[in-house]
């Protein structure tokens, strides 16, 4: 191996490999792609005879540890793509181990749009007199001039409506949407797909299987018009051709991530547009940070009157599909946890119930990580709302009067049915971002009653009178036989869902109680049988404990006393007993609630505590089962 290219994600490694394939055919070099999700053995066979290896950090380390005779002794060039990402946080331990295994004498090249200049990082790589090369160092702006960047202030509960309205009014565009976590991405993908926006909806996140991610990557690359809902797994390096819009529904973690996300559009002499949705509490800091980094961004105001209200539609989808409802809950919990971890003040400003309703839920699920704080937060949110509604609103009105409002063309005219649906007006000029300005007039107005009623009338339009299915490009296909989404009585559905919710909870509580009771009894029984076996006693089918055991399962038949007619006691061999134990322990293991949430890329901050995902999913950890059996038999695993 003469050259090694390390990328933070599999897609990026795949993309570099693809480019190398195109130019490689004119050279006599061999090259290979080494990423997780492929066959380790197949890769291992070729590792030592490959000149250029493109890899992700985890998989490379796996080869260093497991592939016989694999060394990097001949390495001449090390390339770290997205170097700042690769040298930080999640990859730190892996990268330290890899760097240890590389020869000190080599050329090291680091690439990133947000290049690290941290001395600590460079020291880790043992760089001698590094040279910093920047294409844009003297540029007035950090981002390309052909990129138009805008933001809107939007409450959490308005985000879904805003995104949906945006998509509906940009059906002839290619749009990349960033969300903060996998579960939210998955849920919005599922429901938006069911709502047929009229163009292909795709999603990409770390919980997807590798082949699915690759298919989505290829599909979005090929499509002219499509929406890709993604987590930050798609933020860096991916070179999707001709993306028109990057929409950041959730604020990026920092300015670096912002730069990478918007960098998916306006690539190489092309133009592009970017829209950032900010919560009121996020606005000041984020905009100041962007301006400090020479990123020009303009504030826009959404004409709320023109927004689609899809709340009821989501409610009805959740009411008629339990999986969707569960996913909505997961999305709620996961996105709130992400916000809580990244930005507590913003989390505290969210009206949790309103946000839950906007996802199609009847009420906010309990947040396992915050539980008791919830009521406190609500009170606090209420207070904050009163303050902003009172004092700052008048400031806003004042500023609105003096500001020039300019209607922007957001491509609304593409679709006759959606003319002016997303009528956005520009209310802050680029050069007006002094901190005083920031404090004035930045609170978006509440919808008036009139606006609410207009939203209601739009809602009526969402009730389908005829059932039509669409293919993934949004073209009508024929009659929908599987889904009954038409003519649903929303209020009835809401009531039904409430009742179902209560029943579900009660049922779950009873199930858990019952299982615990069963487990206790089974264990007791097993211990007793083992004791008897050890003492060399025979085990009978009608002994005392067996009766107790039977009684427990036949609660209505409590008088199961042994009679003279019952079969004679039978001897049971220890081996038979072990088999029985194995079966019983397996059952217990299946009931286990200790499932873990496999967050692949680590960008979804998983749920903890009472995450609903942990209730139903079976634990198939065979080793645990074996260990449990051996422990019961008094043997070390
Ligand atoms: N000189 C060039 N001539 C033609 N096309 C180019 C040229 N330079 C770059 N491109 C094209 O521009 C696009 C972006 O290039 P590339 O992926 O190398 O960008 P990058 O600097 O890695 O960006 P990022 O890391 O932010 O994704 C690619 O499609 C590439 O083919």
């Amino acid at each position: 191996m003469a050259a090694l290219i390390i990328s933070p994600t599999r897609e990026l490694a795949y993309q570099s490999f693809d480019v190398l394939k195109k130019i490689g055919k004119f050279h006599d070099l061999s090259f290979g792609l080494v990423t997780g999700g492929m066959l380790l053995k197949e890769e291992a066979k070729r590792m030592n005879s490959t000149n250029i290896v493109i890899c992700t950090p985890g998989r490379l380390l796996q080869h260093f540890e497991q592939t016989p005779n694999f060394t990097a002794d001949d390495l001449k060039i090390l390339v770290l793509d997205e170097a700042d990402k690769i040298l930080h946080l999640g990859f730190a331990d892996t990268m330290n181990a890899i760097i240890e295994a590389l020869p000190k004498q080599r050329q090291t090249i680091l690439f990133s749009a947000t290049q690290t200049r941290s001395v600590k990082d460079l020291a880790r790589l043992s760089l001698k007199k590094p040279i910093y090369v920047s294409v844009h160092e003297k540029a007035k702006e950090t981002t390309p001039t052909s990129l138009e960047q805008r933001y809107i202030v939007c409450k959490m509960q308005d985000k879904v409506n805003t995104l949906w309205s945006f998509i509906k009014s940009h059906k002839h565009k290619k749009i990349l949407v960033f969300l903060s976590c996998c579960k939210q991405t998955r849920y919005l993908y599922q429901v938006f797909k069911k709502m047929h926006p009229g163009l292909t909806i795709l999603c990409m996140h770390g919980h997807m299987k590798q082949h699915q991610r690759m298919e989505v990557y290829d599909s979005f690359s090929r499509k002219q018009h499509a929406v890709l809902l993604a987590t930050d797994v798609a933020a860096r390096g991916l070179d999707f051709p001709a993306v028109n819009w990057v929409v950041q529904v959730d604020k990026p973690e920092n300015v670096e991530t912002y730069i990478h996300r918007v960098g998916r559009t306006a690539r190489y002499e092309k133009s592009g547009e970017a829209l950032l949705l900010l919560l009121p509490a996020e606005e000041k800091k984020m905009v100041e940070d962007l301006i400090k980094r020479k990123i020009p961004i303009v504030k826009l105001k959404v004409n709320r009157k023109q927004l689609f209200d899809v709340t009821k539609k989501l409610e009805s989808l959740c009411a008629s599909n339990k999986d969707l409802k569960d996913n909505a809950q997961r999305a709620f919990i996961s996105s709130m946890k992400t916000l809580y971890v990244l930005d507590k003040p913003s989390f505290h400003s969210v009206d949790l119930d309103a946000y839950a309703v906007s996802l199609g839920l009847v009420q906010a699920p309990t947040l396992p990580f915050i539980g008791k704080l919830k009521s406190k937060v609500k009170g606090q949110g209420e207070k904050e709302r009163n303050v902003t509604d009172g004092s700052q609103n008048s400031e806003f009105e004042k500023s609105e009067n003096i500001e020039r409002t300019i209607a922007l063309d957001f491509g609304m005219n593409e679709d006759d049915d959606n003319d002016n649906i997303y009528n956005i007006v520009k209310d802050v000029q680029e050069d007006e971002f002094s901190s005083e300005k920031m404090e004035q007039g930045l609170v978006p107005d509440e919808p008036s009653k009139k606006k609410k009623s207009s939203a209601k009338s739009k809602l009526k339009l969402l009730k389908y009178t005829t059932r039509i299915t669409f293919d993934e490009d949004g073209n009508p296909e024929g009659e929908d036989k599987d889904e009954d989404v038409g003519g649903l009585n929303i209020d009835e559905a809401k009531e039904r869902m409430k009742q179902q919710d209560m029943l579900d909870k009660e049922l779950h509580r009873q199930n858990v109680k019952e299982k615990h009771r069963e487990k206790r009894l089974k264990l007791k029984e097993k211990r007793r049988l083992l004791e008897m076996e050890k003492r060399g006693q025979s085990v009978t089918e009608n002994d005392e404990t067996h009766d107790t055991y039977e009684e427990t399962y036949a609660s209505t038949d409590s008088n199961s006393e042994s009679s003279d007619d019952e079969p004679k006691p039978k001897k049971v061999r220890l081996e038979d007993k072990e088999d029985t134990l194995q079966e019983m322990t397996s059952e217990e293991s299946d009931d286990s609630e200790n499932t873990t949430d496999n967050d692949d890329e680590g960008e979804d901050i998983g749920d903890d505590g009472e995450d609903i995902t942990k209730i139903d999913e079976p634990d198939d950890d065979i080793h645990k089962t074996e260990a449990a059996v051996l422990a019961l038999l008094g043997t070390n695993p």
Side-chain angles (χ1 to χ4, degrees), residues 499-512:
Q499 285 170 3
Q500 187 62 43
D501 246 1
M502 276 156 58
L503 276 174
D504 283 354
K505 275 183 192 158
E506 187 51 39
L507 209 68
H508 174 66
R509 215 174 292 135
Q510 279 174 12
N511 278 345
V512 172

Side-chain angles (χ1 to χ4, degrees), residues 244-308:
N244 303 108
W245 276 95
V246 168
V247 180
Q248 304 184 56
V249 173
D250 293 316
K251 187 186 80 107
E253 200 183 335
N254 47 37
V255 178
E256 279 71 31
T257 307
Y258 175 92
I259 293 170
H260 287 284
R261 283 177 172 187
V262 297
R264 297 317 97 211
T265 182
R267 292 171 79 73
Y268 192 64
E269 297 184 343
K270 289 232 166 60
S271 59
E273 301 185 68
L275 180 68
L276 170 66
L277 271 61
L278 290 175
L279 297 173
E282 291 171 337
E283 183 185 15
K284 187 172 187 295
K285 169 96 176 49
M286 186 67 197
V287 175
E288 278 176 355
D289 287 350
L290 291 173
I291 288 167
K292 259 188 234 157
R293 291 288 294 272
K294 299 194 287 183
I295 297 168
I297 190 160
V298 175
K299 184 179 180 180
L300 303 171
K301 194 174 158 240
V302 178
N303 188 346
R304 296 173 59 106
K305 206 165 63 179
Q306 309 284 352
L307 286 183
F308 278 107

Side-chain angles (χ1 to χ4, degrees), residues 261-510:
R261 283 177 172 187
V262 297
R264 297 317 97 211
T265 182
R267 292 171 79 73
Y268 192 64
E269 297 184 343
K270 289 232 166 60
S271 59
E273 301 185 68
L275 180 68
L276 170 66
L277 271 61
L278 290 175
L279 297 173
E282 291 171 337
E283 183 185 15
K284 187 172 187 295
K285 169 96 176 49
M286 186 67 197
V287 175
E288 278 176 355
D289 287 350
L290 291 173
I291 288 167
K292 259 188 234 157
R293 291 288 294 272
K294 299 194 287 183
I295 297 168
I297 190 160
V298 175
K299 184 179 180 180
L300 303 171
K301 194 174 158 240
V302 178
N303 188 346
R304 296 173 59 106
K305 206 165 63 179
Q306 309 284 352
L307 286 183
F308 278 107
D309 185 351
V310 290
T311 311
K312 299 280 176 187
K313 177 70 190 162
L314 296 183
E315 233 176 63
S316 72
L317 283 172
C318 286
S320 55
N321 185 331
K322 189 171 179 310
D323 287 346
L324 272 186
K325 195 189 90 178
D326 289 350
N327 285 344
Q329 289 182 331
R330 291 181 178 115
F332 175 90
I333 294 169
S334 199
S335 58
M336 282 300 97
K337 182 162 186 182
T338 308
L339 187 62
Y340 182 75
V341 171
L342 293 180
D343 184 354
K344 283 197 185 59
S346 296
F347 169 81
H348 288 306
S349 74
V350 172
D351 181 338
L352 296 178
D353 282 328
Y355 173 49
V357 168
S358 79
L359 291 177
L361 294 166
V362 174
Q363 59 188 34
T366 309
L367 293 174
F369 59 95
I370 201 95
K372 288 171 195 160
L373 275 179
K374 193 184 155 190
S375 53
K376 213 171 144 191
V377 169
K378 223 178 149 189
Q380 200 175 316
E382 215 63 72
K383 255 191 236 163
E384 277 168 16
R385 263 198 306 287
N386 290 340
V387 172
T388 51
D389 288 355
S391 62
Q392 292 193 22
N393 225 7
S394 56
E395 282 297 318
F396 177 64
E397 280 157 17
K398 255 192 271 165
S399 71
E400 229 184 2
N401 288 338
I402 53 165
E403 268 167 4
R404 207 156 46 101
T405 54
I406 304 162
L408 282 184
D409 179 11
F410 255 79
M412 299 301 142
N413 299 330
E414 294 172 338
D415 310 299
D416 294 345
D417 51 342
N418 288 317
D419 258 7
N420 297 322
I421 274 173
Y422 205 76
N423 185 12
I424 296 177
V425 287
K426 183 177 176 182
D427 64 358
V428 177
Q429 296 300 309
E430 199 180 310
D431 56 354
E432 288 178 334
F433 279 110
S434 66
S435 48
E436 295 114 69
K437 277 269 176 203
M438 292 291 304
E439 274 151 29
Q440 289 177 4
L442 301 182
V443 184
D445 50 350
E446 284 295 318
S448 65
K449 274 183 190 161
K450 207 173 159 193
K451 282 175 186 170
K452 274 182 190 161
S453 69
S454 115
K456 258 188 184 170
S457 65
K458 278 216 187 69
L459 179 72
K460 283 180 196 154
L461 296 174
L462 286 173
K463 288 187 180 180
Y464 298 105
T465 44
T466 48
R467 284 154 56 196
I468 302 166
T469 49
F470 296 80
D471 64 17
E472 59 160 12
D473 290 319
N475 304 316
E477 241 172 28
E479 285 210 340
D480 187 350
K481 292 190 177 59
D482 300 321
E483 283 176 275
D484 186 5
V485 290
L488 189 66
N489 182 326
I490 302 294
D491 292 328
E492 256 179 36
K494 198 170 167 179
E495 192 48 43
R496 241 197 355 258
M497 200 158 87
K498 239 182 197 169
Q499 285 170 3
Q500 187 62 43
D501 246 1
M502 276 156 58
L503 276 174
D504 283 354
K505 275 183 192 158
E506 187 51 39
L507 209 68
H508 174 66
R509 215 174 292 135
Q510 279 174 12

